[in-house]
Amino acid sequence: MIDKQHMKDRMCEGKLYIGSHLPPEDEIKEACLDRFNNAPRSEAAVRTEYLRPMLGGMGKNCYIEPRLHVDHGYNVFLGDNVYFNTGCIILDQCPITIGDNTLFGPRVSLLGALHPIDAVIRNLLVEGGKPITIGKDCWFGGDVTVCPGVTVGDGTVIGAGSVITKDIPANVIAVGNPCKVLRPITEEDHKYWKAQLEEFTSDTGISFPEIS
């Protein structure tokens, strides 16, 4: 007899497994995702909370736009103030960890799943996965694809349409397919955007905490 829990443990550890031999889908996950994706606009302020019971962890003040696809849910860990725009896909065969204040544009895909490169092995329907780790204060443009095993450092900006196949360091702008570092984020960037914020405050009267 196949030990389905052992198969699940293998998947979460990044070892080969067979998907059809996993435990049955968690009914809580299906109910949470269905309720979230089909919530009316009148529930927009609270619908992200419908996902909390199915996720491995979710911090405060997260906001996610439907529709969302998540493979399992229990391997997804969100920090505080995480934002997902519409149409995002999360394949969480292994842990997917996202830091505080990280923002995702529409149709971002976090793909922790993988299949053997060797066709003979792949055709046996075994598959695998690798974890994805994304730091705090990151911004991902629309249609970014994050491949298995990738780590993105704190404060980094990823340009729209990029395909991230290797680790990206902290505090850089990175773009392309494959995604590569374009340049560091500098003090000049901070000064420019601080000036834009000061103009905004002057024009609208809306103030923010003082920024050094």
Side-chain angles (χ1 to χ4, degrees), residues 101-102 135-141 152-159 168-175 180-194:
N101 307 309
T102 285
K136 63 182 181 179
D137 302 318
C138 295
W139 171 31
F140 287 62
V152 177
D154 295 347
T156 281
V157 174
I158 305 294
I168 302 293
N171 299 310
V172 299
I173 299 171
V175 299
K180 296 181 180 180
V181 174
L182 180 65
R183 66 173 179 85
I185 296 172
T186 67
E187 182 63 23
E188 291 304 311
D189 292 307
H190 177 67
K191 291 178 180 177
Y192 173 83
W193 288 104
K194 182 181 178 184

Side-chain angles (χ1 to χ4, degrees), residues 46-204:
V46 297
R47 66 187 171 210
T48 297
E49 284 297 313
Y50 300 158
L51 299 172
R52 188 177 293 277
M54 65 173 262
L55 299 181
M58 183 169 74
K60 300 176 294 184
N61 303 317
C62 293
Y63 192 89
I64 301 172
E65 300 277 7
R67 297 190 62 88
L68 172 74
H69 174 83
V70 180
D71 255 13
H72 302 287
Y74 47 75
N75 279 328
V76 178
F77 301 88
L78 308 181
D80 296 339
N81 309 311
V82 172
Y83 172 77
F84 280 88
N85 209 318
T86 187
C88 290
I89 297 172
I90 304 176
L91 305 187
D92 59 318
Q93 278 62 30
C94 292
I96 293 183
T97 306
I98 298 166
D100 298 346
N101 307 309
T102 285
L103 315 177
F104 297 92
R107 298 176 302 279
V108 169
S109 297
L110 307 178
L111 307 181
L114 58 82
H115 298 270
I117 290 175
D118 183 87
V120 173
I121 307 302
R122 185 171 63 246
N123 291 341
L124 299 175
L125 302 183
V126 293
E127 53 192 299
K130 291 183 179 180
I132 291 172
T133 303
I134 296 169
K136 63 182 181 179
D137 302 318
C138 295
W139 171 31
F140 287 62
D143 294 296
V144 170
T145 299
V146 183
C147 293
V150 162
T151 295
V152 177
D154 295 347
T156 281
V157 174
I158 305 294
S162 296
V163 178
I164 309 177
T165 61
K166 296 181 179 180
D167 293 353
I168 302 293
N171 299 310
V172 299
I173 299 171
V175 299
N177 181 6
C179 188
K180 296 181 180 180
V181 174
L182 180 65
R183 66 173 179 85
I185 296 172
T186 67
E187 182 63 23
E188 291 304 311
D189 292 307
H190 177 67
K191 291 178 180 177
Y192 173 83
W193 288 104
K194 182 181 178 184
Q196 298 301 306
L197 186 65
E198 290 170 349
E199 186 279 330
F200 174 85
T201 296
S202 176
D203 183 57
T204 66

Side-chain angles (χ1 to χ4, degrees), residues 2-48:
I2 294 169
D3 185 338
K4 294 188 175 183
Q5 181 59 46
H6 181 58
M7 194 69 71
K8 176 181 174 180
D9 292 342
R10 288 186 58 85
M11 178 187 75
C12 295
E13 293 168 5
K15 299 176 181 178
L16 288 180
Y17 71 97
I18 298 176
S20 61
H21 294 337
L22 292 173
E25 277 294 336
D26 190 333
E27 293 181 4
I28 293 176
K29 177 249 179 178
E30 292 298 319
C32 290
L33 202 56
D34 285 348
R35 186 181 184 193
F36 169 81
N37 279 324
N38 295 300
R41 284 189 174 273
S42 61
E43 298 178 18
V46 297
R47 66 187 171 210
T48 297

